[in-house]
Amino acid sequence: MEKQAKVSIIVPVYNAEDYIKKCISSICTQSVSELQIILVDDGSTDNSLEICRQLQKNDNRIEVFHQENQGASAARNKGMQLANAEWVMFVDSDDWLEKDGLQQLYELAQKYQVDFVRYRAFRTEWPGMERNVPCRVETVREMQGGIYDRKRILQEIYPRLLATRQLTLGPVVGAWGALYRTDFLKKNQIFFFEEIKFSEDILFSAKVILCTQKFYYKEEAGIYHYWYNPDSISKSFREGRWESCKKIIEHAEIEFKNRKEYCFKQQLNWLTWFVILVGLKERGKMTDRSERKVYCRKLLNDPVVRRCPLKIQELDVPEKQKILLYMIKKNWWWIFSLI
C-alpha cells in the first residue's frame, strides 16, 4: 500500500531549464521521502516542460501539469488545488533545499502543532556576499524565534503586518519561507490573487497572519537556499509591473481596511507609498530615455498616486526619501525621467 504523502511541494516553473534539475534533485533527495512533488509549468518557451516530464519518469512522486502562461500566482493556486498531503510548501524553481530541510520543518510542525512553521533561509551567491549568508531584512522587520500565539501576533506582528513607517514591508512576506498546514490554507481560503503578477507574496502572507492562531519561527538560518538569479522578474523591467502594483493596493484595501481586531488604515497608506516607490524605481531598468519619460508621467499622473495622502510626520525615513516623496506628490514627473 502506498504511503500517504506528508508534504506536498509546489514548484511553479517558467523558463527554468538552466536550474530546474538542481531544484528538483534537492527535493527528491529529502530525508522526508513521503512527498507529493507538484511541478506546474506556466507556459515555458524553453525546454523546462520536457525536463520536468523526464524527471517525472525517474520519480513517481512527481506530478507535472502544464498551463498557458498566467504567472506564478496562478501556478501556485493550481498546485494548491492538487495538494493532498497534510502539509504544503512552495519552492521557487531557481532555489533549492538543504537535504534535511523538510525533516526539520516537519518535526517542528508536529512538535508545536501550529498552522505553519516559518524559517530564515540562506542567501546564496548574492553579489558582494559570501556564498551562504543568512537572509536578513531591515531591523524594523526582524522577528525573534519561537512560538507566536494570537496575543504575541497582535502585539508584535500586527503593528507592522503590511508595512512600516520606514516604508518597508512587514516581517512576513515570502510565501516560500514556510511549511503550511494544508487544511489551514484551504479552510481560510488563502490563495494568490492571479492578477497580481509581481510581489504576489505580500497579500498571501499577510492573510496567513490574519487567519493563524499559532505559528513557529525558526530563527537560525538553514532549510532553503534563496539563489540570486540575475534573470528573475524582480531584476529586469516587465511591462505591466505598475498595473500589478496597483492591484496589490486594491486588494489590500478590500482585505484590511475594515478589520475589527485592528485598524490598518495607517499601514495601508504606508504600503501604498512603498508600492509607488517600487513602481517608480522601475524606470532605472529602462534604457530608452523617451520611454522612461512616458512611464514616469503615466505613473505620477495615476489617480492612485494623486489621491494618496502624504503624511511626512508619520514616517521615519531619511531626508533624501522625504524629498523624493514630496516631488512625487508635487507631480514633478520630468525630474524622475532624468534621474
Side-chain angles (χ1 to χ4, degrees), residues 19 22 94-96 122-133 225-230 235:
Y19 32 80
K22 182 173 185 175
D94 50 1
D95 299 333
W96 64 92
F122 286 124
R123 289 186 190 270
T124 299
E125 297 177 9
W126 282 61
M129 295 184 182
E130 295 180 18
R131 190 170 190 278
N132 291 321
V133 177
H225 289 267
Y226 177 29
W227 181 57
Y228 180 88
N229 181 356
K235 300 173 185 69

Side-chain angles (χ1 to χ4, degrees), residues 82-146:
L82 300 166
N84 58 30
E86 181 184 3
W87 298 90
V88 66
M89 184 177 183
F90 303 102
V91 177
D92 286 352
S93 60
D94 50 1
D95 299 333
W96 64 92
L97 303 176
E98 288 281 289
K99 187 171 184 179
D100 66 342
L102 276 180
Q103 185 69 43
Q104 292 183 53
L105 295 177
Y106 185 77
E107 289 177 359
L108 288 168
Q110 296 296 104
K111 178 180 179 180
Y112 294 109
Q113 290 296 296
V114 291
D115 294 320
F116 65 97
V117 177
R118 195 155 184 87
Y119 59 85
R120 190 188 300 278
F122 286 124
R123 289 186 190 270
T124 299
E125 297 177 9
W126 282 61
M129 295 184 182
E130 295 180 18
R131 190 170 190 278
N132 291 321
V133 177
C135 279
R136 300 282 178 187
V137 291
E138 299 91 340
T139 303
V140 70
R141 297 178 61 197
E142 285 286 1
M143 292 192 300
Q144 293 182 338

Side-chain angles (χ1 to χ4, degrees), residues 32 43 47 53 71 83 97 116 133 168 175 180 198 215 221 224 250 278 281 304 310:
V32 174
N47 293 317
R53 286 174 173 160
L97 303 176
F116 65 97
V133 177
T168 72
Y180 307 90
F198 315 101
F215 74 92
Y224 190 103
E250 178 184 323
V278 168
K281 192 175 181 180
V304 169
L310 177 60

Side-chain angles (χ1 to χ4, degrees), residues 265-324:
K265 183 177 179 181
Q266 192 177 49
Q267 287 188 54
L268 285 166
N269 180 258
W270 298 339
L271 177 64
T272 302
W273 279 110
F274 171 84
V275 168
I276 290 169
L277 289 171
V278 168
L280 194 56
K281 192 175 181 180
E282 283 294 294
R283 74 192 190 282
K285 300 171 186 176
M286 306 177 76
T287 55
D288 187 282
R289 178 65 63 85
S290 60
E291 288 182 3
R292 188 188 306 174
K293 188 175 181 179
V294 170
Y295 179 81
C296 291
R297 180 167 52 191
K298 179 182 177 182
L299 193 156
L300 266 65
N301 279 293
D302 194 294
V304 169
V305 179
R306 302 274 36 97
R307 68 171 174 255
C308 185
L310 177 60
K311 301 177 181 179
I312 291 288
Q313 69 277 9
E314 290 182 355
L315 302 177
D316 180 16
V317 297
E319 286 300 317
K320 183 178 179 180
Q321 196 166 30
K322 289 180 181 179
I323 293 170
L324 288 177

